[in-house]
Amino acid sequence: MKAILLAGGKGTRLRPLTIHTPKPIVPIFNRAFLHYQIDLLKQVPEIDEIILSLNYQPRRIEEIFGDGSALDIRIRYVVEPAPLGTAGAVKYAGDSLTDSVVVFNGDVLTQIDLAAVIRLHRERRARATIVLTPVEHPMAYGVVETDGEGNVRRFLEKPRPDEITTNHINAGIYVLEPDTFDRIPSAVPWSIERSYFPSLVERRETFVAYVYDGYWIDIGTPEKYAQVHRDIMDGRFVAPPFAHLPPPRASVSPDARIEDGATIEGPCFIDDGVLVKAGARIGPYSVVGRQTQIDEGAVIDGAILWPNCRISQEATVRNAIVGRHCHLGRSVTLDNGAVLGDKTTLTDYTRA
Ligand code: GDD
Ligand code: MG
C-alpha cells in the first residue's frame, strides 16, 4: 500500500519562515516536520512506499529524506510542473496506482491510529474515507456533515460563519480508491476539497467518515507552529526528546555550553553547539536552535530561535519566532508574536 503526502503548498501563512524553508521541513525542535508524519506512516506495516507530492522548493526536501533508506522506508518524489491543487496533485502522483491509497496533508501532526482508518475503509467497502476532528473555529477548515451511519453528506471548504453547521472538520487524512480519480482532470489545478469530495457526495458514492478526537493540529500558521512545540514539551503530543524527560523537562544537548551564572528554566530545548553566556536567562517554552549564541544578560522567554542566530547582550526575545542566521543587537526587545525571516539583523536598541 502506498501513501501520498501532499507537500507542495507554498506555506504563505508561515511567511517569512517559509521563504527559504518549505513548510514540510520547518524544524520542530531539531527535526524537519515531515519526520513526524513519516514516523506515523511507518506504524502501518502495510505501507511500503511514501510518495512525496512536491512543487515548492522540492530539492530542499529531497536533500533531507533521500530515498528513505536512512529512515527504513521507501520514499519517491513526484514534482508537479506547476501547482495542480490538492486533487490534481493526488492524480498526478497516484495515476498508476490500483490499490487503496492513504493521502495526507503535509502539515498535520496527529497521533491517529491509521490502521483503524484503513480497516474502517475496507469494512465499509468505501470509495473514500475521510478523518474528521472537532475544532473550536471550523471556519479555517473544511467542514463535514455526516449522517447517523457515518456517511459524509456535505463537504464545505472554508465556510462563511453562517454556513457552519458542525464543528467536525476535515483532518486532511484520507483513504481513497484510485478508480475514483477518473473524474479529476489532468494537468489543470483541481481541488480535492472544493470539487472531488463534493462530487462523491453528489453522486452518492460510499464516502465514509472516521471521527478522531485525539491530538491533531495543522502547523500552517506561526501561532500553531509555536503551539506544536509547547504541546510536545508538555507531553500533549508524545515525541522525543521530551517523551521520557523528567520534570522540569529541560532538554539541553551535552554539546551545548551553558556558562556559570546562566539560568535555564524548563520546559525548554537547547540544541547542539549553543552557547549561553553568564547572566543570560532561557525561560520556559523556549527553543534554541543549533549553534545559536545568547550573550550576557539576554532573556529568551517562550521564543523559538532557529539555528545560527546571535542574540546580543541584554536583548529580550519573548513569544517570538526567529529564523536562521539572525542577528539581534544589544538591548533589542522583540515581543509577542513577532516573526523574523532568515538573516534579519536588528540594530542595537530596536523594539519590535
Ligand atoms: N503537491 C501539492 N500541490 N500540494 C499542495 C498543493 C498543490 O497544488 N496545494 C496545497 N498542497 C498541500 C499543502 O502543502 C498542504 O500540505 C496540503 O496540501 C493542504 O494545503 P493547505 O494550504 O495547508 O490547506 P488548508 O490548511 O488551508 O486546508 C486543508 O487542510 C485542512 C486541515 O488542516 C483542507 O484540506 C481543509 O479541508 C482541511 O480542513
Ligand atoms: Mg494546512
Side-chain angles (χ1 to χ4, degrees):
M1 188 177 203
K2 317 268 182 245
I4 298 175
L5 287 184
L6 292 173
K10 284 205 170 69
T12 46
R13 286 162 295 184
L14 265 183
R15 282 180 190 153
L17 298 171
T18 44
I19 290 176
H20 301 290
T21 308
K23 180 166 66 169
I25 56 166
V26 293
I28 306 293
F29 302 103
N30 55 354
R31 295 172 91 208
F33 176 71
L34 277 187
H35 275 294
Y36 295 83
Q37 290 202 329
I38 293 170
D39 286 350
L40 185 79
L41 292 169
K42 278 176 59 183
Q43 287 172 17
V44 183
E46 218 183 317
I47 296 178
D48 57 2
E49 185 179 63
I50 298 174
I51 303 170
L52 292 186
S53 164
L54 307 181
N55 182 254
Y56 180 64
Q57 300 188 357
R59 301 284 161 265
R60 301 285 320 280
I61 300 175
E62 292 189 38
E63 268 164 31
I64 294 183
F65 299 101
D67 63 1
S69 49
L71 303 172
D72 213 15
I73 178 94
R74 208 159 68 221
I75 296 182
R76 188 150 63 84
Y77 301 88
V78 176
V79 181
E80 297 151 16
L84 289 175
T86 41
V90 168
K91 181 165 172 116
Y92 191 71
D95 218 14
S96 61
L97 302 181
T98 47
D99 192 13
S100 322
V101 59
V102 172
V103 176
F104 238 86
N105 280 355
D107 60 353
V108 298
L109 182 69
T110 175
Q111 270 157 343
I112 194 166
D113 179 353
L114 211 51
V117 182
I118 297 167
R119 266 199 310 277
L120 175 72
H121 179 80
R122 292 198 174 128
E123 277 163 20
R124 294 286 316 272
R125 296 178 190 281
R127 308 275 283 150
T129 299
I130 182 170
V131 176
L132 308 184
T133 194
V135 295
E136 260 177 55
H137 304 290
M139 237 174 93
Y141 305 95
V143 294
V144 184
E145 292 173 18
T146 51
D147 65 15
E149 276 80 54
N151 298 298
V152 174
R153 287 294 168 235
R154 188 165 185 233
F155 190 112
L156 190 58
E157 183 66 11
K158 311 275 173 0
R160 292 193 314 262
D162 60 313
E163 290 175 315
I164 297 171
T165 50
T166 166
N167 69 341
H168 277 172
I169 61 112
N170 167 22
I173 301 164
Y174 326 118
V175 185
L176 307 177
E177 290 307 307
D179 59 7
T180 61
F181 298 166
D182 55 3
R183 79 199 67 201
I184 306 173
S186 300
V188 291
W190 226 64
S191 159
I192 209 164
E193 298 87 354
R194 294 179 195 275
S195 302
Y196 171 87
F197 288 141
S199 144
L200 291 173
V201 173
E202 211 170 283
R203 298 191 202 174
R204 297 210 149 248
E205 294 175 77
T206 313
F207 181 15
V208 171
Y210 179 104
V211 177
Y212 171 74
D213 60 7
Y215 188 86
W216 181 91
I217 196 168
D218 173 331
I219 65 152
T221 63
E223 296 72 32
K224 293 285 166 75
Y225 171 73
Q227 185 65 44
V228 164
H229 289 84
R230 287 173 183 249
D231 290 343
I232 293 177
M233 288 190 255
D234 281 341
R236 276 191 291 276
F237 183 90
V238 180
F242 291 92
H244 304 290
L245 203 64
R249 300 168 76 82
S251 170
V252 180
S253 161
D255 187 31
R257 209 169 94 218
I258 314 294
E259 287 188 356
D260 291 344
T263 315
I264 308 289
E265 291 173 57
C268 66
F269 179 82
I270 298 179
D271 205 352
D272 302 344
V274 167
L275 170 60
V276 183
K277 295 236 180 151
R281 184 172 84 84
I282 310 291
Y285 300 106
S286 298
V287 175
V288 184
R290 228 174 338 102
Q291 307 292 342
T292 279
Q293 177 171 330
I294 315 291
D295 286 341
E296 291 86 351
V299 176
I300 310 299
D301 189 13
I304 298 173
L305 311 181
W306 283 11
N308 300 100
C309 292
R310 171 91 184 260
I311 312 298
S312 307
Q313 291 175 34
E314 309 293 336
T316 301
V317 187
R318 189 163 277 131
N319 298 329
I321 306 173
V322 177
R324 288 187 181 83
H325 294 282
C326 288
H327 187 285
L328 274 57
R330 267 187 94 105
S331 301
V332 162
T333 305
L334 201 58
D335 221 318
N336 274 329
V339 184
L340 299 189
D342 293 354
K343 298 185 186 157
T344 303
T345 299
L346 295 182
T347 313
D348 295 352
Y349 301 99
T350 297
R351 296 170 174 275

